[in-house]
Amino acid sequence: MSRGNLFNQIPSDLSEEVFETLAQSSEVKIERIISNGQASPKSGWYDQEKDEWVIVLKGFATISFENGSVVELEEGDYLNIPARMKHRVIRTSAKPGTIWLAVHY
Amino acid sequence: MSRGNLFNQIPSDLSEEVFETLAQSSEVKIERIISNGQASPKSGWYDQEKDEWVIVLKGFATISFENGSVVELEEGDYLNIPARMKHRVIRTSAKPGTIWLAVHY
């Protein structure tokens, strides 16, 4: 049994987003993401092979989609992003940052 | 895109634990569980075919394992329970209850 706390052991250097795999199999990856005011590069989209279920558990974030829709996420808000649905993060909270949990499946 | 908030739409009747599937595929099920002081039947064990990654996001809980170990979970604590590792929930918080997120994979 591996265990931990999602809200502890926050790295002191948050100049870049921090991605940490909490559990995985051949089909699934469960990941903690910590953002601190970062946004995706304006020129780039996430274009993922797998579905992604994501929840904001501390802070807030805004995700925009290639189709023009924009989704605001606050604490507890979750979203299922189908594979190949291009998106980017246009805003995250800073000090304290945004703690996400993502399941890629 | 399906969306929601993990901490909203809490059913008023919590006399039984409430299980709600938030996303799933052939390999994975992501589930919200709300407990309100319930515990597993003393005679029964959860004996699952899949690995389960579980996190307590509101309240607290105690899980015991057939091998005698006991794990206390508070807010943000997560645990990976391998398939076939028999366990049961021996305590959850009441009023407000325990909100879990479980990924069966």
Side-chain angles (χ1 to χ4, degrees):
Chain A
M1 291 183 297
S2 64
R3 56 180 304 198
N5 187 291
L6 200 75
F7 306 124
N8 291 348
Q9 297 182 297
I10 306 297
S12 55
D13 180 1
L14 294 174
S15 58
E16 305 281 343
E17 286 191 299
V18 177
F19 297 81
E20 181 187 2
T21 299
L22 305 178
Q24 68 180 331
S25 69
S26 57
E27 301 289 339
V28 180
K29 183 169 72 172
I30 302 173
E31 178 176 69
R32 178 174 78 166
I33 305 166
I34 305 176
S35 311
N36 192 39
Q38 290 94 352
S40 308
K42 282 194 178 174
S43 58
W45 295 100
Y46 284 113
D47 180 13
Q48 300 173 142
E49 289 180 11
K50 292 190 174 189
D51 293 346
E52 178 178 3
W53 186 89
V54 67
I55 183 169
V56 166
L57 288 167
K58 294 286 179 191
F60 57 79
T62 306
I63 300 180
S64 75
F65 293 85
E66 195 183 33
N67 67 10
S69 62
V70 173
V71 176
E72 310 271 351
L73 299 174
E74 302 195 337
E75 287 183 13
D77 285 340
Y78 60 81
L79 184 65
N80 196 66
I81 304 174
R84 296 293 173 212
M85 186 164 187
K86 291 183 184 176
H87 61 283
R88 63 187 176 204
V89 177
I90 59 175
R91 187 184 66 132
T92 59
S93 54
K95 296 179 184 175
T98 304
I99 299 180
W100 313 72
L101 181 71
V103 181
H104 304 271
Y105 68 103
Chain B
M1 292 183 296
S2 63
R3 56 180 304 197
N5 187 290
L6 199 74
F7 306 124
N8 291 347
Q9 297 183 297
I10 306 296
S12 55
D13 180 1
L14 294 174
S15 57
E16 304 281 343
E17 285 191 299
V18 177
F19 297 82
E20 181 186 2
T21 298
L22 305 178
Q24 69 180 330
S25 69
S26 57
E27 300 290 338
V28 180
K29 183 169 72 172
I30 302 173
E31 178 176 69
R32 178 174 78 166
I33 304 165
I34 305 176
S35 311
N36 192 39
Q38 289 94 352
S40 308
K42 282 194 179 173
S43 57
W45 295 100
Y46 284 113
D47 180 12
Q48 301 173 143
E49 289 181 12
K50 292 190 174 188
D51 293 346
E52 177 178 4
W53 186 91
V54 68
I55 183 169
V56 166
L57 288 167
K58 295 286 179 191
F60 57 78
T62 306
I63 299 179
S64 76
F65 293 84
E66 195 183 33
N67 67 9
S69 63
V70 173
V71 176
E72 309 270 352
L73 299 173
E74 302 195 336
E75 286 184 13
D77 285 340
Y78 60 81
L79 184 65
N80 197 65
I81 305 174
R84 298 292 173 211
M85 186 164 188
K86 291 184 185 177
H87 60 284
R88 62 185 177 205
V89 177
I90 58 175
R91 187 184 66 132
T92 60
S93 54
K95 296 180 185 174
T98 304
I99 299 180
W100 313 72
L101 181 70
V103 182
H104 304 272
Y105 68 102

